[in-house]
Amino acid sequence: MELHKAWTIYTPDARMYGSSFRWWETIWEGDGEGPAICAGHAWTIWKAEALYWYGVLTGDKNATEMAWCGFVTNFAKANKNGEMYSCFEVDYIRGGGIEGIKKDLKQLADNSFVDAFKTAHAYPTHIDSSLSRYAWVRYVYTFLEKEKRQS
C-alpha cells in the first residue's frame, strides 16, 4: 500500500482525491477519445478495498478514511437519474482517439467518428452501464458490512 501512494491523486476535489492515477482507460471507455488522465475509475476500488481492510485489521483510521475517499471518487460519477460515467477526465484538452478503436465501442454506436479535440476537465459525454457500478457492489461488502458487524 505504501508503494501505491505514488499512484494516488491528492487534490482538494472529491472527484479525484484518493483515486488511483489512471490514463489509458479513456482509450476504450467514456467517449473513447484516447489516453487522458482520469480519476474515480472503478480500478480505484481495488485500492480502496485494500485500504479499508488494512484499516480494519490495524485500526489505522487514516487508511479507512482514504478508502472512503476512493469510494467517493466513484460515487461522484452518478448523475441525478442514477446514470454513471466511467471516470472523471482530469485532462483539460482531450480528443483524437486511437485509429480503429472508436468504431468498435458500444457506447459510441450512434456517433460519428470525427476526431475532435475539445476542452474538457469533466465527465465524458457518454454514460457507462458496466464497470462504473462496481463501486456500489463492493461498498456493500466493506462499509455496509462494517455497520452490520458493529450493531
Side-chain angles (χ1 to χ4, degrees):
M1 294 313 304
E2 192 65 30
L3 293 173
H4 199 280
K5 286 181 180 178
W7 296 101
T8 301
I9 298 173
Y10 300 98
T11 181
D13 185 329
R15 299 169 296 183
M16 298 183 279
Y17 186 77
S19 175
S20 293
F21 179 84
R22 311 299 297 176
W23 68 274
W24 55 86
E25 283 77 5
T26 51
I27 296 171
W28 304 278
E29 298 175 20
D31 298 333
E33 294 185 329
I37 298 170
C38 63
H41 190 275
W43 287 95
T44 294
I45 299 304
W46 285 4
K47 180 193 68 164
E49 280 189 286
L51 283 168
Y52 171 82
W53 288 110
Y54 177 81
V56 167
L57 292 171
T58 65
D60 184 336
K61 291 183 191 277
N62 186 54
T64 307
E65 182 179 307
M66 287 306 293
W68 175 246
C69 292
F71 275 91
V72 167
T73 66
N74 276 256
F75 297 154
K77 301 181 304 186
N79 64 24
K80 289 180 183 179
N81 66 6
E83 294 173 330
M84 294 185 75
Y85 302 98
S86 59
C87 61
F88 175 73
E89 295 185 12
V90 180
D91 273 347
Y92 279 90
I93 298 176
R94 61 179 200 179
I98 295 178
E99 178 112 20
I101 290 180
K102 283 180 109 169
K103 66 180 176 51
D104 294 327
L105 299 179
K106 187 175 183 176
Q107 75 270 27
L108 303 180
D110 298 330
N111 290 56
S112 68
F113 300 106
V114 175
D115 289 343
F117 290 87
K118 60 185 175 186
T119 304
H121 194 69
Y123 291 105
T125 303
H126 299 86
I127 62 163
D128 177 80
S129 297
S130 61
L131 206 51
S132 60
R133 313 290 194 205
Y134 183 69
W136 297 103
V137 174
R138 299 315 308 160
Y139 177 70
V140 170
Y141 294 101
T142 53
F143 288 94
L144 289 184
E145 284 293 320
K146 180 180 180 185
E147 295 301 318
K148 278 180 28 182
R149 287 190 303 273
Q150 290 177 339
S151 53

